[in-house]
Amino acid sequence: MTSKELLEKYVRAVMSAPHSLGLTAARDEAEFWQRHVLDALKLIELFPPSLHQKAMSVMDVGSGNGIPGLPAAIAVPSWNVVLMVSNSKKCGFIDMFCKFNDIKNVHVFAGRAEAFAHTEHRESYDLVFTRALGKLPTALELSAAFVKLGGTLVVPHGTSWEKELHKAQKVVKAMGLHMKDRVPYSVAPAIHFTALLFEKIAGTPEKYPRAVGIPAKRPL
């Protein structure tokens, strides 16, 4: 089975899953492919082909329905991808899909970033994606600790990215990050995003991220 066929199978699985799982608000397979799978594939294209051949440790923080981590793992088999999902039922769905389809470079964990960031996962990943984790200051606090020194944190953002980035300058510095690049991309003629790429240049202080729920309730 090709990677495209496997991705199409994943889309069908998401769309046919019980509504109670809350995997997507997309109305059909075409919409899910465009808004989610294609978005993930566009993020992967940000990196040169040489990195697609390299054994990379990758984490998707707050993966939810598996985006962008699962498409990344399918499209780039050399990457070892960890999906961190706070909802145990969603975690089970992704885990079973991977097991049934012999996807061996994906590992799924159920839990919260605030807790996992203070385990052996801390500063262990070359590349970290965080998508749909709230405002930028919150997303950075929840994700930065997983990135190893010299690694990259990728945060896809909508049209308000400049305003959000301006407000997050203090957080960027506090987390040991440095703004590396801003890359615009589109998944459709009228659907535009900007990928914010941060390099980890210093260790994230042990006090971050703060306790469960605090980064979202009281952003830095």
Side-chain angles (χ1 to χ4, degrees):
M1 186 180 296
T2 66
S3 60
K4 186 175 187 297
E5 289 170 337
L6 189 51
L7 286 169
E8 290 171 344
K9 188 174 182 180
Y10 160 67
V11 171
R12 291 194 296 272
V14 169
M15 297 307 299
S16 62
H19 183 71
S20 59
L21 281 181
L23 292 174
T24 182
R27 294 162 294 181
D28 54 41
E29 292 180 11
E31 182 182 357
F32 186 83
W33 179 274
Q34 182 182 77
R35 295 301 297 263
H36 297 282
V37 176
L38 185 56
D39 186 37
L41 297 177
K42 289 283 187 179
L43 291 175
I44 297 166
E45 290 175 3
L46 297 176
F47 301 94
S50 60
L51 286 187
H52 294 179
Q53 306 301 321
K54 185 178 178 182
M56 299 261 287
S57 56
V58 180
M59 174 177 269
D60 179 5
V61 183
S63 187
N65 58 14
I67 300 292
L70 186 51
I74 291 172
V76 191
S78 61
W79 288 1
N80 185 47
V81 183
V82 166
L83 309 184
M84 197 191 64
V85 186
S86 62
N87 183 296
S88 59
K89 291 183 179 179
K90 292 180 181 179
C91 180
F93 167 84
I94 298 168
D95 191 47
M96 292 305 293
F97 180 83
C98 291
K99 284 183 169 62
F100 282 138
N101 291 281
D102 201 30
I103 303 173
K104 296 180 179 179
N105 62 326
V106 171
H107 307 276
V108 190
F109 292 93
R112 296 289 296 259
E114 297 96 326
F116 268 84
H118 296 283
T119 68
E120 68 276 8
H121 292 276
R122 191 177 186 87
E123 298 191 338
S124 298
Y125 295 90
D126 300 301
L127 180 60
V128 174
F129 293 99
T130 180
R131 181 179 184 265
L133 271 185
K135 297 292 186 180
L136 187 58
T138 299
L140 294 177
E141 182 177 353
L142 291 174
S143 307
F146 295 106
V147 188
K148 64 172 60 172
L149 286 176
T152 301
L153 171 62
V154 182
V155 187
H157 210 289
T159 55
S160 64
W161 71 267
E162 290 182 274
K163 181 179 179 181
E164 285 288 306
L165 184 59
H166 179 74
K167 292 192 299 182
Q169 289 303 309
K170 182 178 72 172
V171 185
V172 172
K173 184 176 180 180
M175 297 301 133
L177 300 171
H178 169 71
M179 168 57 71
K180 184 177 180 180
D181 204 355
R182 311 162 181 82
V183 185
Y185 67 97
S186 302
V187 297
I191 305 176
H192 309 291
F193 299 101
T194 296
L196 306 179
L197 278 65
F198 300 90
E199 182 181 2
K200 187 72 168 286
I201 60 172
T204 301
E206 279 294 327
K207 63 182 178 180
Y208 299 122
R210 292 166 292 166
V212 171
I214 300 301
K217 290 178 182 177
R218 298 202 299 271
L220 293 170

